[in-house]
Amino acid sequence: IIYNLFSMDKNTLKTIKLTKKHTKNIESIWISSLPENLKSMIGDILIERYLYKFFQNDKNLGIGIFDGNNLLGFVLFGDDSKITSLLIKEKFFLIIKTFIYSLIFLNIKKIKNFVDCLIYILLSKKKANIIKRNNTELLIICVTQYNQKKGIGSCLLEKCFQNYKSYFENYSNVYVKTLKKNPENISFYKKNNFNYVFEVFGRVYLERKIN
């Protein structure tokens, strides 16, 4: 189904707190909408495990935007550093296997993505620890392919900050990191009141103050 905001009243869209029962729908949107995301490249097994761990932590918040029963997009807030560490240990051989296959089949895009992420992790640790203090991270925001560039992402964020104040009042800021090579992403966050903070190895960090 292709939705169009010209025929869809934004006021009829509803946000719902997501749980592990929404995992399959989240996975589908994540992989199809962000195919170059490293977790997408490794596969749905990794994303499924990531979401399982994410929803186990009460300090994390996942919100979906729905038109009726149809999930149009989602956003995840929290801290996933421990999840990532656990996943690397649990799925180490799957990650290595994916990387080896990339080498064998000369998938340059995947190889570059793996190397890029590894270097970024090594270079970002100190600054990442500083910005985490008393802040929560917008880990990922994603809208179905057919509903992108229609204002749904901004609508989702607006409803999150309006309807889930009890979560955000525990923090000073919400921060996000996005690739510098995707200026449209930076413009999206700036439009939604995120301000530039600093850059680390091709990633731009932005933050929004909690009112």
Side-chain angles (χ1 to χ4, degrees):
I1 300 173
I2 299 177
Y3 294 88
N4 191 318
L5 283 185
F6 291 112
S7 61
M8 184 195 306
D9 182 356
K10 283 188 187 180
N11 294 318
T12 66
L13 300 179
K14 59 183 179 182
T15 53
I16 295 175
K17 187 175 179 180
L18 299 171
T19 66
K20 61 183 180 182
K21 74 178 183 181
H22 298 103
T23 294
K24 288 297 179 186
N25 287 335
I26 296 171
E27 269 179 41
S28 175
I29 295 173
W30 188 325
I31 291 173
S32 62
S33 301
L34 298 173
E36 292 187 18
N37 176 269
L38 188 60
K39 292 184 180 70
S40 297
M41 287 183 170
I42 293 171
D44 55 358
I45 294 173
L46 191 71
I47 294 175
E48 183 178 350
R49 192 63 180 160
Y50 175 91
L51 293 170
Y52 175 80
K53 296 284 187 185
F54 178 88
F55 289 122
Q56 278 187 322
N57 188 340
D58 292 336
K59 291 184 178 180
N60 293 332
L61 176 69
I63 303 297
I65 188 164
F66 290 79
D67 182 34
N69 294 320
N70 298 296
L71 180 62
L72 304 183
F74 67 89
V75 60
L76 304 181
F77 298 96
D79 180 0
D80 69 354
S81 54
K82 289 182 180 178
I83 300 174
T84 301
S85 297
L86 284 169
L87 285 179
I88 289 171
K89 290 176 183 176
E90 284 184 12
K91 302 296 181 183
F92 179 76
F93 290 109
L94 173 63
I95 295 167
I96 294 299
K97 180 181 174 183
T98 305
F99 181 64
I100 290 171
Y101 278 3
S102 301
L103 291 173
I104 292 171
F105 295 104
L106 292 177
N107 189 325
I108 304 300
K109 191 176 284 186
K110 274 192 180 183
I111 294 168
K112 285 179 69 176
N113 206 338
F114 271 103
V115 174
D116 180 75
C117 286
L118 179 60
I119 296 172
Y120 163 71
I121 289 168
L122 294 172
L123 294 178
S124 67
K125 194 169 183 180
K126 187 176 180 180
K127 281 197 169 183
N129 286 337
I130 293 170
I131 201 170
K132 280 180 183 179
R133 293 172 189 167
N134 203 36
N135 293 335
T136 186
E137 182 178 0
L138 192 166
L139 299 165
I140 182 170
I141 182 168
C142 197
V143 173
T144 54
Q145 259 182 315
Y146 296 122
N147 289 292
Q148 292 175 7
K149 299 182 180 179
K150 296 178 182 178
I152 293 176
S154 293
C155 181
L156 171 57
L157 285 182
E158 183 185 338
K159 287 177 179 288
C160 283
F161 292 121
Q162 285 177 354
N163 300 339
Y164 299 90
K165 290 179 180 178
S166 60
Y167 171 80
F168 294 107
E169 67 187 10
N170 295 311
Y171 303 99
S172 299
N173 304 286
V174 178
Y175 76 94
V176 65
K177 52 184 180 282
T178 189
L179 290 171
K180 187 177 181 179
K181 68 180 182 180
N182 294 334
E184 67 275 11
N185 290 353
I186 298 170
S187 296
F188 167 79
Y189 290 117
K190 285 185 174 179
K191 185 178 71 175
N192 285 283
N193 301 314
F194 284 79
N195 297 307
Y196 174 93
V197 184
F198 56 75
E199 295 175 29
V200 179
F201 196 68
R203 274 76 172 174
V204 175
Y205 283 70
L206 304 101
E207 68 179 12
R208 171 174 168 158
K209 290 190 179 298
I210 303 298
N211 296 324

